Amino acid sequence: MKEQEVDKFYGRRKGRPLRKHKTECLKDLDLYSIHLPLNLQMVFPGIQEVWLEIGFGGGEHLAALAEKNPEVGFIGAEAFINGVASFLQYRSEMNLTNVRLFANDVRLLLQQLPENSITKIFILFPDPWPKKKHHKRRIVNPKVAQELCRVLKKGGEIRLASDVPEYIEHMKHIFQLVPEFKLCFSSHEKPNDWPSTRYEMKAIEAQHYPHYLIYLKN
Ligand SMILES: C[S@@+](CC[C@H](N)C(=O)[O-])C[C@H]1O[C@@H](n2cnc3c(N)ncnc32)[C@H](O)[C@@H]1O
């Protein structure tokens, strides 16, 4: 499939200069990346389920899930190269062999994923873009929700979290626009099988209490 244009990406692609070890880890990026055009069978031969984390940040949630679920193939999408380097460090320390990375705007990946190909999708503490004039930059938007619905398997789930109450309302509004999505969990308490993320821990420290959502695709 030909790459189509996506709207401009507004987040950061680079941060502080990386320490030596992380720079070393980045040398492995090509080896553990998925490349477009995508062939999921070749990326994960023999694997039954593929889970996708969008904007994995430092990668702690992705690494914990991949370690707990060695029979699942994981795709981690993250546009911020420092986050990618951080995950690659976990990958090497934890010897994770079931994760492939997409170090770019996830919208380029979504348009290449086949219909009904992904069993679980995670979007945790996405950038809230709090100013009204910036809401259109949010990753949870009508176009992306349609794409998520297309790539998700029937019966598959999407897990979302935020510590910004207005963004939780925004997510609920956007997911309501897609009739296949059914909200089946909405709480300040998360299920036990849900590892923490760096932003989640920062939010809790600042006494901003996160809210967790799970949608199922009918
Ligand atoms: C606020 S951080 C949260 C990181 C992590 N999920 C956590 O909870 O710690 C949001 C992350 O999403 C990434 N991101 C935002 N838009 C993206 C996009 N279109 N494609 C890939 N990554 C994206 C950003 O680079 C950033 O690392």
Side-chain angles (χ1 to χ4, degrees):
M1 193 197 287
K2 225 175 118 230
E3 245 181 62
Q4 290 152 26
E5 289 271 308
V6 293
D7 295 335
K8 186 172 170 347
F9 175 77
Y10 285 97
R12 284 194 304 171
R13 300 301 301 265
K14 273 190 181 164
R16 286 196 216 128
L18 294 167
R19 284 170 192 254
K20 193 165 165 242
H21 185 55
K22 288 219 168 99
T23 308
E24 282 294 310
C25 289
L26 262 187
K27 290 191 182 141
D28 292 339
L29 176 58
D30 201 49
L31 196 58
Y32 301 114
S33 283
I34 47 175
H35 299 283
L36 302 179
L38 182 65
N39 181 333
L40 270 187
Q41 274 75 38
M42 276 180 71
V43 178
F44 296 115
I47 268 182
Q48 302 296 316
E49 286 194 16
V50 179
W51 299 3
L52 166 68
E53 181 164 352
I54 295 178
F56 59 73
E60 48 291 314
H61 174 272
L62 179 61
L65 278 190
E67 187 178 45
K68 250 198 225 159
N69 299 280
E71 73 295 352
V72 172
F74 286 83
I75 302 176
E78 175 52 64
F80 184 50
I81 202 70
N82 300 53
V84 170
S86 164
F87 173 78
L88 285 170
Q89 186 169 345
Y90 286 122
R91 196 214 66 79
S92 114
E93 288 168 2
M94 295 162 74
N95 197 23
L96 302 170
T97 56
N98 53 340
V99 186
R100 292 292 175 271
L101 300 181
F102 186 71
N104 204 336
D105 187 332
V106 70
R107 295 170 300 174
L108 296 167
L109 171 70
L110 286 174
Q111 65 189 16
Q112 300 269 330
L113 283 170
E115 267 176 43
N116 302 315
S117 56
I118 304 292
T119 308
K120 291 191 188 186
I121 299 175
F122 305 85
I123 309 180
L124 307 175
F125 301 87
D127 300 296
W129 296 109
K131 290 186 184 161
K132 195 154 192 201
K133 66 175 181 187
H134 292 156
H135 284 185
K136 57 181 180 295
R137 300 180 179 183
R138 290 177 166 175
I139 190 70
V140 178
N141 64 49
K143 229 176 174 175
V144 168
Q146 279 298 345
E147 278 293 76
L148 297 176
C149 182
R150 187 185 66 76
V151 304
L152 195 65
K153 284 191 174 168
K154 208 168 173 216
E157 70 175 48
I158 304 196
R159 292 188 171 199
L160 303 142
S162 178
D163 60 318
V164 179
E166 188 272 324
Y167 202 172
I168 287 289
E169 289 315 307
H170 169 85
M171 288 171 172
K172 286 183 173 169
H173 169 68
I174 299 293
F175 276 79
Q176 241 173 30
L177 302 174
V178 185
E180 288 90 335
F181 286 137
K182 185 171 175 286
L183 179 62
C184 66
F185 183 86
S186 171
S187 172
H188 286 288
E189 302 282 330
K190 63 178 180 179
N192 291 335
D193 66 346
W194 191 322
S196 296
T197 77
R198 194 177 295 178
Y199 271 76
E200 176 183 18
M201 290 183 282
K202 277 199 214 166
I204 293 170
E205 252 172 55
Q207 302 190 331
H208 297 163
Y209 291 104
H211 196 118
Y212 305 91
L213 303 174
I214 303 181
Y215 283 87
L216 284 185
K217 180 179 166 186
N218 277 326

